[in-house]
Amino acid sequence: MPLLQSKGITVDTAETFLYGGMDRLHSPLLMKNMEKAVERLVQAIEEEERILFYGDYDVDGVSAVSMYIRFFKDVYPHYVYYLPDRYVEGYGLSELGVQFAKEHGCGLIVTFDCGTTAVKEVEMAQHMGIDVIICDHHQVTGDIPEAYALLNPKQAGCTYPFKELSGAGVGYKLLQAFCDYMEVPEDHLYEQLDLLVLSIACDIVPMKGENRILAREGLRQLRSTTKEGLIGLLKRVGKFQQSISISDLVFKIGPRLNAAGRMANATLSVSLLVTDEQQEVSDILIELEWLNQQRKVEQEAVEQEVFTLLKTAPDTRVFYNKNWHAAVLGIVASRCAEKVQEPVVLLTQKEEVIIGSARSANQINLYNILQTCEGTLQQFGGHAQAAGLQLAADHREVFEQCFMASLSIERVHQTDRLTAQSLLLDLELHLDEITLELYELLEVLRPWGPEHKQAVFFSRGLTVSGEVRILKERYMKFTVRQKGRLHRFEAVSYQANPDVLSFLKSGREFDMAYSIQAYHYGPHRYFQLKVKDIRSTERVG
């Protein structure tokens, strides 16, 4: 079928891609150091050692720590957990975290979504008699720590077939190996997929291979979850469990869970995900909502300033303000990168150093650019689309020069890519071809995500039937029809552009790119077209 072909799905790969289940996951023992890691975990449990579960402060680390607590809490009580303070300790395994493990008598630390660069901290743990198992997925450069076991599919010599797991995904593979080793029914592990899918969605990993299988099964688990914290979160954002999507996790659930790590401490989000007490859930949700509102205020202030800078300083993509709140730089950088369709770096001051977040768009490899600037940085880490960095205050200008020089070279290499305003279209449709059968195929293709984008269709020669309505001064709703076709559909545009509005009211024909979404009212379902772009049918050329 043309739609499947447009998504790169062949006859040979269709069955696994569309219907592949948990039995299609790779053996965890294919991952370098996995056998050593699982044997050490088993040893710790058999000898009743205390274990520290250490996670980064974003959703990936939070969901991994919560997954391990949920998995072990009824069968192994000898554990503690720790998430670093974003502002006091920064990213990764910290000296304070190692000291916490020592003070609590831990013989083993298991890290999630961090650790690959923690050379000094792992050495510190070893001197204290503490072994470290690292579950990470970030790019591996430079020296690696001499951990008891480093689990990272991106490390040299690792032949694990799928390289794009989230940090929690690597942690899940360790639990999978543990279940195999200890002959624990994996049904107990499957119960934690509703936590793992949070990581896959919110860490924006490619929605293909094992991520696709785990995300699809995770959404199924989430739709019937009995975890009070997840149920409370879904109610808080106004979502029915049965209709939850990857997009909902990214844009509604993720920001609330991340608010704790951004504005306070991520331990709050872990507490929400592991408790079964409804009153505690209610209290935490109130606090998270307040923190998220505070985050929005900070974000809007920074966003407004950076959007202005993009206009007044168009020759740079590196921006600095010592007063910006570090917690929101990643979010704002992501929005700016999407706007200009190339990498954006936002920097702020932290004591004697400068810290920042960078985000990319349009398939430009941000990590490669930062590698060329390594000599100007104290540290950096991340992947092709997102990174964090730190540099000395007196290196800011030279870093900006290096970054922009590397970006200029990347721009030359990208000359064959689509322009920033172009869209990748999957299929042309007549409006009569928007049917229940097509929508059911789209449902099978879910979940959407990076490297498996939501299908975008286009139709030619459309006109508006009736009025164009403006909602909340931001959205446009109108009904479209096509000459010679019976069906009409409601369309919604989330940008009330005055020029587009004037054009639509003119009655002229237009071509429209859109995605298809469905709404249910009682037993009835109707389709709505979400507008991606509109252009005149009478355009020149």
Side-chain angles (χ1 to χ4, degrees):
M1 181 174 178
L3 180 56
L4 298 183
Q5 293 172 356
S6 75
K7 292 297 181 188
I9 303 170
T10 66
V11 173
D12 294 334
T13 63
E15 182 181 357
T16 297
F17 188 89
L18 298 176
Y19 306 109
M22 299 294 285
D23 60 330
R24 301 294 181 96
L25 296 179
H26 304 300
S27 167
L29 295 180
L30 295 174
M31 192 175 294
K32 184 178 180 179
N33 298 324
M34 180 61 77
E35 187 170 357
K36 186 178 181 183
V38 74
E39 287 177 353
R40 182 64 183 89
L41 181 60
V42 170
Q43 177 191 339
I45 291 171
E46 289 179 341
E47 297 179 4
E48 296 190 350
E49 290 183 80
R50 181 161 289 180
I51 305 171
L52 173 64
F53 300 136
Y54 186 108
D56 189 30
Y57 41 65
D58 66 5
V59 174
D60 196 1
V62 165
S63 59
V65 169
S66 302
M67 180 171 64
Y68 268 66
I69 293 172
R70 284 280 188 178
F71 182 83
F72 282 110
K73 73 175 185 177
D74 293 330
V75 295
Y76 188 75
H78 307 299
Y79 65 82
V80 290
Y81 65 93
Y82 188 94
L83 293 97
D85 185 293
R86 177 189 290 262
Y87 305 107
V88 175
E89 299 161 82
Y91 165 79
L93 180 61
S94 69
E95 293 184 7
L96 285 177
V98 175
Q99 187 63 41
F100 178 90
K102 178 66 175 178
E103 291 170 357
H104 286 76
C106 297
L108 176 65
I109 298 173
V110 185
T111 76
F112 306 104
D113 193 35
C114 62
T116 295
T117 60
V119 175
K120 181 175 65 173
E121 293 78 10
V122 169
E123 184 178 0
M124 175 182 173
Q126 288 176 331
H127 287 160
M128 293 179 174
I130 304 171
D131 289 332
V132 181
I133 296 174
I134 294 170
C135 299
D136 200 3
H137 70 130
H138 291 101
Q139 295 287 350
V140 182
T141 57
D143 296 334
I144 61 173
E146 295 184 7
Y148 188 90
L150 170 61
L151 302 178
N152 186 331
K154 294 187 176 81
Q155 68 178 301
C158 183
T159 58
Y160 192 74
F162 187 65
K163 304 294 186 181
E164 303 298 336
L165 292 166
S166 64
V170 177
Y172 185 89
K173 301 305 292 190
L174 176 56
L175 285 181
Q176 188 184 0
F178 176 83
C179 288
D180 292 343
Y181 191 100
M182 298 294 288
E183 297 183 352
V184 176
E186 285 201 20
D187 287 350
H188 182 50
L189 180 55
Y190 293 168
E191 292 173 6
Q192 313 314 322
L193 287 171
D194 51 8
L195 296 172
L196 178 57
V197 70
L198 299 177
S199 155
I200 294 171
C202 297
D203 219 54
I204 320 295
V205 291
M207 195 59 69
K208 62 182 183 180
E210 287 192 314
N211 286 338
R212 177 174 170 78
I213 294 171
L214 293 167
R216 184 169 55 216
E217 297 302 318
L219 284 174
R220 287 176 182 168
Q221 186 70 28
L222 185 55
R223 288 165 185 158
S224 59
T225 189
T226 58
K227 295 182 176 70
E228 292 292 344
L230 289 175
I231 293 171
L233 268 173
L234 295 176
K235 288 180 179 178
R236 173 69 63 171
V237 301
K239 293 299 297 185
F240 295 109
Q241 282 183 242
Q242 291 301 316
S243 63
I244 194 73
S245 68
I246 292 292
S247 179
D248 294 325
L249 299 183
V250 173
F251 296 108
K252 296 181 179 180
I253 301 298
R256 285 166 170 80
L257 291 174
N258 272 331
R262 294 183 190 281
M263 311 304 291
N265 190 281
T267 302
L268 187 66
S269 290
V270 173
S271 298
L272 175 70
L273 296 178
V274 301
T275 185
D276 291 314
E277 299 296 328
Q278 291 186 359
Q279 185 57 53
E280 185 178 5
V281 167
S282 179
D283 293 343
I284 294 174
L285 285 173
I286 290 171
E287 188 170 356
L288 282 180
E289 197 65 32
W290 183 83
L291 290 172
N292 194 43
Q293 291 303 318
Q294 294 297 109
R295 187 269 306 169
K296 286 182 179 179
V297 171
E298 296 285 353
Q299 177 183 328
E300 288 172 4
V302 175
E303 195 170 281
Q304 184 175 6
E305 185 174 347
V306 178
F307 278 3
T308 300
L309 289 172
L310 286 171
K311 295 178 182 178
T312 58
D315 295 332
T316 186
R317 294 291 181 256
V318 180
F319 303 101
Y320 165 81
N321 186 318
K322 67 179 181 180
N323 296 317
W324 284 341
H325 199 302
V328 302
L329 295 188
I331 303 173
V332 177
S334 180
R335 291 176 182 257
C336 294
E338 190 66 28
K339 185 178 182 69
V340 299
Q341 286 295 294
E342 60 183 17
V344 171
V345 182
L346 301 183
L347 303 171
T348 191
Q349 195 84 22
K350 179 188 175 185
E351 298 176 351
E352 301 301 317
V353 299
I354 289 176
I355 60 173
S357 292
R359 297 293 185 270
S360 189
N362 213 17
Q363 299 181 335
I364 298 177
N365 193 311
L366 170 64
Y367 195 85
N368 288 349
I369 294 176
L370 289 176
Q371 277 189 303
T372 67
C373 304
E374 190 170 7
T376 69
L377 299 172
Q378 292 179 343
Q379 62 183 49
F380 73 98
H383 48 78
Q385 295 300 303
L389 58 151
Q390 178 177 306
L391 60 151
D394 57 357
H395 282 184
R396 180 166 61 87
E397 290 186 7
V398 68
F399 164 71
E400 181 179 350
Q401 294 168 2
C402 179
F403 186 89
M404 292 308 299
S406 297
L407 178 57
S408 297
I409 295 172
E410 188 68 26
R411 285 167 174 162
V412 173
H413 292 163
Q414 293 277 0
T415 52
D416 60 341
R417 77 182 193 272
L418 294 173
T419 66
Q421 299 302 315
S422 296
L423 281 170
L424 290 175
L425 304 174
D426 289 288
L427 196 65
E428 180 176 3
L429 294 177
H430 297 301
L431 292 187
D432 286 356
E433 294 177 295
I434 302 175
T435 62
L436 179 60
E437 289 75 20
L438 173 62
Y439 186 75
E440 288 176 343
L441 174 59
L442 294 177
E443 287 294 284
V444 174
L445 285 168
R446 291 179 184 270
W448 311 110
E451 299 189 27
H452 180 55
K453 297 288 188 180
Q454 184 176 18
V456 178
F457 304 97
F458 72 104
S459 298
R460 305 177 193 266
L462 305 181
T463 55
V464 173
S465 176
E467 296 183 11
V468 180
R469 291 168 288 160
I470 304 297
L471 306 176
K472 298 182 180 179
E473 299 182 354
R474 295 171 60 190
Y475 312 136
M476 294 189 297
K477 269 191 179 182
F478 50 96
T479 301
V480 294
R481 62 185 178 187
Q482 191 174 34
K483 186 175 181 180
R485 307 288 170 179
L486 294 175
H487 291 159
R488 302 181 183 192
F489 291 96
E490 182 180 75
V492 58
S493 172
Y494 290 98
Q495 291 184 332
N497 184 303
D499 293 334
V500 175
L501 175 61
S502 176
F503 176 83
L504 291 174
K505 288 182 175 181
S506 72
R508 294 160 58 192
E509 287 191 353
F510 57 91
D511 303 339
M512 188 171 80
Y514 55 88
S515 59
I516 301 172
Q517 48 197 17
Y519 290 91
H520 299 262
Y521 283 101
H524 303 292
R525 175 190 299 173
Y526 78 95
F527 299 122
Q528 185 183 71
L529 311 184
K530 183 178 178 181
V531 178
K532 301 292 186 181
D533 196 15
I534 289 174
R535 65 185 186 185
S536 171
T537 299
E538 302 165 0
R539 67 195 180 283
V540 177

